[in-house]
Amino acid sequence: MSFSAIIVAAGTGSRAGEPKQWRRLGGRPVLRWSAEALLAAGASEVAVVIAPGAENRAAEALAGLDRWFTVTGGASRAASVQAGLEALSATADGRVLIHDAARPLLDAATIGRVLDALDRHEAALPVLPVADSLRRGSDNLLGPSVDRDGLWRAQTPQGFRLGAIRAAYAGWSEPSPPTDDVEVARAAGFAVAMVAGDARLMKLTFPEDFAMAEALIPRQIRVGQGFDAHRWGPGSSVWLCGVEIPHDQTLIGHSDADAGLHALTDAILGAMGDGDIGDHFPPTDPQWKGASSDLFLIHAVERLAARGGRLVNVDVTLICERPKVKPHRQAMRERLAELLSLPLDAVSVKATTTEAMGFTGRGEGLAAQALATIELTGS
């Protein structure tokens, strides 16, 4: 059974220093984490409530996703939620989840528990027990303890039937705005069910919270390999790993034939499962004739960043009888470190021969192989 969702993302981020929803977490905008989780769980529509004028930022943050639209929020969270509720197209009996963009590490299990509770209750929210001892205090002096029995930490998403929560908000008569949506529901007489929350579903409030959230993001390490070879032809220099080396021949290819960069580009693409260099830069396309292979490598790194990943280290081996690579190896490492934004000790360039065997041994061509280790966010 499908459901609708609202992501409240209209805040100004005064305590975090800037609007939290647009900052990057694990390589992705904070807002995108919640949108992806809700859409993957089956949301038929997601209303993203934003501040006036933030439409372009939302479009950039959610590029490539579907079934979402923006709604301009109000002066308070409650006003923003009401704007989102009115914009939904679901029937009055449809289920709706209201979620704060500032809680990005939303998982399918939490969504499922809230939705399941709506089959038996009028409203539901995820909660966590209060584990720390609580104390009152003032002027930096400790006061009496607070009994934590029966106290819970409320999280989002909070779930309702669309028509019922619309009516509850319309009937809110307290002078102060509600702190969350279940407060409105309880004031309207709803029985609100509690389901198990998730400690990772923390709210990003202060700048230091981002470091904690980064540490909680699931990550996977992947390794890709690449190989390339080019034949020798007439020329006066050769490009290897982004460095031009004087030589009595050059490598023949559609681009600048930098076999080291080609192999490394394929290694990065391979680690992502994103095809190979020929898929992205077909040799039949005239625009790449004579092109610098720097462009290919940077393209692969940018695609990795767009996936929320990062490069950990690279290792390139050049296979040839000549030119001698060792005198230029440090320059190659420095150039790769610059192109890849890696520390120098995360970049390795080596060279070997085939003891005069095979096409490289006979001086017919040069080969390169590369390994790239990447880190991707996600389970």
Side-chain angles (χ1 to χ4, degrees):
M1 184 176 180
S2 66
F3 64 96
S4 300
I6 295 170
I7 302 177
V8 185
T12 59
S14 57
R15 285 179 289 182
E18 63 177 303
K20 294 168 284 190
Q21 60 272 33
W22 312 125
R23 285 185 59 176
R24 288 193 169 264
L25 179 70
R28 287 181 275 175
V30 165
L31 171 62
R32 189 179 185 94
W33 285 86
S34 298
E36 287 183 348
L38 290 163
L39 290 169
S44 58
E45 56 178 345
V46 177
V48 181
V49 187
I50 57 173
E55 290 80 5
N56 289 342
R57 298 201 75 170
E60 180 181 354
L62 303 178
L65 303 180
D66 57 9
R67 306 195 308 275
W68 66 272
F69 59 92
T70 57
V71 180
T72 301
S76 65
R77 183 188 183 281
S80 293
V81 170
Q82 285 182 281
L85 290 170
E86 293 305 315
L88 294 176
S89 63
T91 63
D93 192 48
R95 298 181 297 180
V96 57
L97 299 186
I98 304 173
H99 185 60
D100 292 329
R103 297 183 185 271
L105 302 185
L106 178 61
D107 67 322
T110 302
I111 294 171
R113 287 192 292 271
V114 175
L115 290 174
D116 289 344
L118 290 178
D119 291 337
R120 303 177 302 279
H121 303 278
E122 297 172 287
L125 82 160
V127 298
L128 291 175
V130 176
D132 298 321
S133 68
L134 299 176
R135 301 277 180 167
R136 297 190 185 278
S138 61
D139 298 325
N140 294 323
L141 293 176
L142 184 67
S145 63
V146 177
D147 186 359
R148 66 190 183 200
D149 286 348
L151 294 181
W152 301 87
R153 295 163 51 195
Q155 298 183 315
T156 66
Q158 299 176 359
F160 312 90
R161 298 291 172 174
L162 179 57
I165 192 61
R166 278 176 176 168
Y169 261 105
W172 179 263
S173 58
E174 298 296 324
S176 299
T179 57
D180 63 5
D181 311 299
V182 294
E183 185 177 358
V184 176
R186 289 195 72 254
F190 291 16
V192 181
M194 298 189 301
V195 302
D198 189 331
R200 293 169 298 180
L201 196 51
M202 59 181 290
K203 185 177 182 181
L204 301 177
T205 304
F206 302 104
E208 56 268 26
D209 293 337
F210 281 82
M212 177 66 77
E214 286 281 359
L216 293 174
I217 294 173
R219 288 177 164 84
Q220 53 180 266
I221 298 295
R222 296 185 181 183
V223 177
Q225 65 173 347
F227 179 85
D228 192 45
H230 287 277
R231 60 186 174 86
W232 290 112
S236 58
S237 65
V238 59
W239 285 93
L240 291 173
C241 293
V243 175
E244 187 175 19
I245 300 173
H247 191 48
D248 58 4
Q249 290 181 298
T250 193
L251 292 173
I252 305 301
H254 187 63
S255 62
D256 63 7
D258 188 327
L261 293 191
H262 292 182
L264 186 51
T265 300
D266 265 352
I268 297 170
L269 293 172
M272 290 187 286
D274 195 17
D276 61 29
I277 194 170
D279 296 325
H280 296 265
F281 303 96
T284 55
D285 190 335
Q287 69 174 309
W288 307 121
K289 184 172 179 60
S292 169
S293 296
D294 293 5
L295 298 174
F296 309 156
L297 186 63
I298 292 170
H299 171 80
V301 173
E302 288 176 345
R303 289 184 70 84
L304 175 60
R307 289 268 300 273
R310 72 178 187 93
L311 198 57
V312 177
N313 77 292
V314 298
D315 186 7
V316 181
T317 300
L318 301 173
I319 307 167
C320 59
E321 299 293 328
R322 61 190 188 97
K324 295 298 183 182
V325 171
K326 187 173 183 179
H328 309 281
R329 186 169 61 184
Q330 186 66 11
M332 293 178 185
R333 293 180 66 213
E334 291 173 355
R335 179 57 177 157
L336 289 179
E338 177 186 7
L339 289 171
L340 301 170
S341 299
L342 283 176
L344 191 61
D345 65 358
V347 176
S348 172
V349 175
K350 308 188 299 294
T352 189
T353 71
T354 55
E355 301 291 339
M357 297 180 293
F359 72 91
T360 60
R362 294 190 296 270
E364 297 171 4
L366 177 146
Q369 61 184 24
L371 291 175
T373 305
I374 67 170
E375 181 183 79
L376 284 177
T377 58
S379 55

